[in-house]
Amino acid sequence: MADAKVIPFDDDRSRGGGAQRPVRRRSAAGGRRKADPAVGREAAVSPLPGRQGGEEGDGGTSAPGASPAASVAAGAAALAGEAPGGQEAGEKPLGAPGPAAGDWDRRIAGGLAFLRRRLTGDYEVDEFGYDAELTDQVLMSMLRPMYEKYFRVEVKGIENIPSEGGALVVANHSGTLPLDGLMLQVAVHDNHPAGRHLRLLAADLVFMLPVVNELARKAGHTLACTEDAERLLRRGEVVGVMPEGFKGIGKPFGERYKLQRFGRGGFVSTALRAGAPIVPCSIVGAEEIYPMIGNAKTLARLLGFPYFPITPTFPWLGPLGAVPLPTKWTIQFGEPIPTDGYPPEAAEDPMLMFNLTDQVREQIQHTLYKLLVQRRSVFF
C-alpha cells in the first residue's frame, strides 16, 4: 500500500491556494471512504477490529463515535507534543511504574549542578553556618525515610505555626538520643504550607562532637543561648527549643511522658523581647525508641556525657542495640500564645515569665495525656 501524503498545516494549499486532496484512510469494512465535501475534511473513522480507540498504528485515528473536530484536535495535540487527555508529553501515565525518562534527566541534571556548586564553593551559608541548599537536597532526604516509613510520623495543628515572621516552637524532649528534634525539623519543613524551616537550639555537647558539630551547623542548629535565639526570631525564623534538655532526654523509662522542669523560663524572656508567639508542641512515640532501664553514671563521667544509657538492647547487642524501635509517632502543635501585646519591660518581670512558662508546660503535658489516651498501640 502506498504511503499517505501528509500536507502540513501551514501549506499554502490549505489557505485556498489550490484544491486540497482529501486524505483517505481504510475503513473497518476494508474499503476507502472519501471526505465529506460539505465540511471539507474526512468523516470519523472507526478503529480496526481488535483495536481500541487511540491505539492504532497510524497515530491519528479516534474512537468510534468521535466527532471530526475531536479527531483534528487529537492530531494537533499529538503534533504539539501533548499526550491524550490533556496529559503533557513526558509525564508519567497513571499507574505507570517508575518516573518518566524526562524526570530522570531532570534529576541527573539537578544532581550534577548541585555537585558542581559544592565543588566550586558557589553556595551560601548564613552567619550561623546554616546551608539551606544542603539541608533541603541532602540532609532532609536522608531523614525523610525514617520520618515517613520507620516512625510513620503523624502531624497535627501545623497551621498554628505562622506563615511568616518569627515563632518559638517549644516541645517536650525524650528518647535517650535526640531523634525527636530531627523528626520535628522534618515535620515543619514537609508539612507547613509555606515550607518553613525550623532552627533548633542545641546544647553545648552537640557542638563539641566532631562531624556532628558540622552537620548541626549546616542543618541550621545553633547554640541554645538567649542572644542567638533572639537574633533568629527578629529575623523572622521559626526557632525550636526543648527546655527539658538532658533531664528530659535522659530520664528513666518509668518516667516517660512526665515533663521535667523547664528551667528558669529563659525561652519566654526571649520570645517577649522579640515579640514572637510561643507555639507549644507535644511529641508522642519518641519515649519508647530506646527504653532506658539504667544509667551507668561512672562510665558517663569518664566519657564526659550527661548519662550513659542502658536499654534492653544496648550495650548487650553491640551496634545493633543502637537501632531504635519502630514506634508510631504523633506530633501536635498547639495554639500559639501571643507575646507582642506585652510592654518591653515585661521580659524582666519574673512573675510573668513564671506564669507563661507554667502555661506552656501545662499545655504540652495536657496534650501528651490526650494523645496517649487516643493512641491504640505503641507501634501502630
Side-chain angles (χ1 to χ4, degrees):
M1 182 179 66
D3 295 336
K5 182 176 182 181
V6 179
I7 300 177
F9 287 154
D10 58 351
D11 196 284
D12 291 337
R13 288 172 291 182
S14 64
R15 305 190 183 97
Q20 180 177 354
R21 180 181 177 182
V23 180
R24 294 182 296 179
R25 296 178 181 169
R26 187 173 299 276
S27 65
R32 294 184 179 269
R33 301 176 66 182
K34 294 186 178 180
D36 189 347
V39 297
R41 57 178 178 262
E42 183 187 7
V45 181
S46 300
L48 292 175
R51 292 190 178 184
Q52 300 295 328
E55 295 181 357
E56 297 186 27
D58 57 9
T61 305
S62 63
S67 65
S71 300
V72 174
L79 289 175
E82 297 181 356
Q87 185 180 6
E88 297 182 359
E91 183 180 350
K92 183 176 71 172
L94 184 62
D103 292 339
W104 282 115
D105 292 342
R106 285 190 292 271
R107 291 181 183 182
I108 293 174
L112 292 176
F114 173 79
L115 291 176
R116 177 179 55 79
R117 289 191 296 272
R118 292 285 115 185
L119 294 175
T120 59
D122 187 19
Y123 59 91
E124 297 181 356
V125 297
D126 68 4
E127 56 184 309
F128 299 95
Y130 173 51
D131 190 333
E133 183 184 46
L134 182 68
T135 301
D136 289 342
Q137 301 295 327
V138 179
L139 300 182
M140 286 293 169
S141 299
M142 293 171 61
L143 294 172
R144 197 166 286 122
M146 178 177 289
Y147 172 89
E148 295 178 348
K149 305 298 183 183
Y150 199 77
F151 293 134
R152 296 146 290 147
V153 181
E154 179 184 359
V155 178
K156 301 179 180 180
I158 191 66
E159 66 278 0
N160 289 318
I161 298 179
S163 298
E164 56 184 14
L168 183 64
V169 177
V170 182
N172 60 304
H173 205 12
S174 61
T176 305
L177 290 181
L179 296 181
D180 52 355
L182 300 178
M183 296 300 104
L184 181 62
Q185 190 175 11
V186 180
V188 173
H189 179 270
D190 286 6
N191 292 275
H192 197 280
R196 305 207 66 180
H197 293 269
L198 182 67
R199 307 291 296 271
L200 286 171
L201 303 180
D204 301 1
L205 180 61
V206 173
F207 302 101
M208 295 171 59
L209 299 174
V211 181
V212 175
N213 172 27
E214 292 296 327
L215 290 177
R217 289 288 185 186
K218 295 290 186 181
H221 305 174
T222 189
L223 190 65
C225 64
T226 303
E227 293 77 11
D228 286 1
E230 188 174 345
R231 285 162 60 193
L232 287 171
L233 289 173
R234 292 187 182 278
R235 283 174 38 178
E237 300 282 356
V238 179
V239 180
V241 61
M242 295 173 168
E244 292 178 281
F246 291 122
K247 299 188 301 293
I249 195 174
K251 63 177 176 286
F253 185 68
E255 299 180 11
R256 58 191 180 280
Y257 298 115
K258 295 179 181 178
L259 292 182
Q260 304 298 303
R261 185 171 173 267
F262 267 24
R264 290 172 289 183
F267 68 92
V268 172
S269 175
T270 302
L272 287 170
R273 288 193 180 93
I278 300 174
V279 182
C281 176
S282 303
I283 304 175
V284 167
E287 294 274 15
E288 296 88 0
I289 60 174
Y290 296 111
M292 186 170 166
I293 58 177
N295 179 15
K297 296 182 179 180
T298 303
L299 187 57
R301 285 195 297 268
L302 291 175
L303 297 175
F305 294 159
Y307 56 89
F308 189 88
I310 298 176
T311 73
T313 59
F314 182 84
W316 326 114
L317 299 182
L320 289 178
V323 178
L325 297 178
T327 58
K328 175 73 170 63
W329 287 33
T330 301
I331 299 178
Q332 179 163 337
F333 299 93
E335 294 187 5
I337 300 173
T339 62
D340 53 356
Y342 294 96
E345 61 272 13
E348 307 299 332
D349 186 349
M351 186 58 65
L352 176 61
M353 286 194 296
F354 174 81
N355 290 335
L356 287 177
T357 301
D358 192 59
Q359 179 182 351
V360 174
R361 187 179 181 278
E362 288 299 323
Q363 186 169 340
I364 295 174
Q365 184 70 81
H366 177 73
T367 305
L368 286 175
Y369 287 149
K370 184 176 66 174
L371 293 175
L372 288 172
V373 170
Q374 297 173 353
R375 183 170 68 167
R376 296 177 301 171
S377 167
V378 173
F379 300 100
F380 303 102

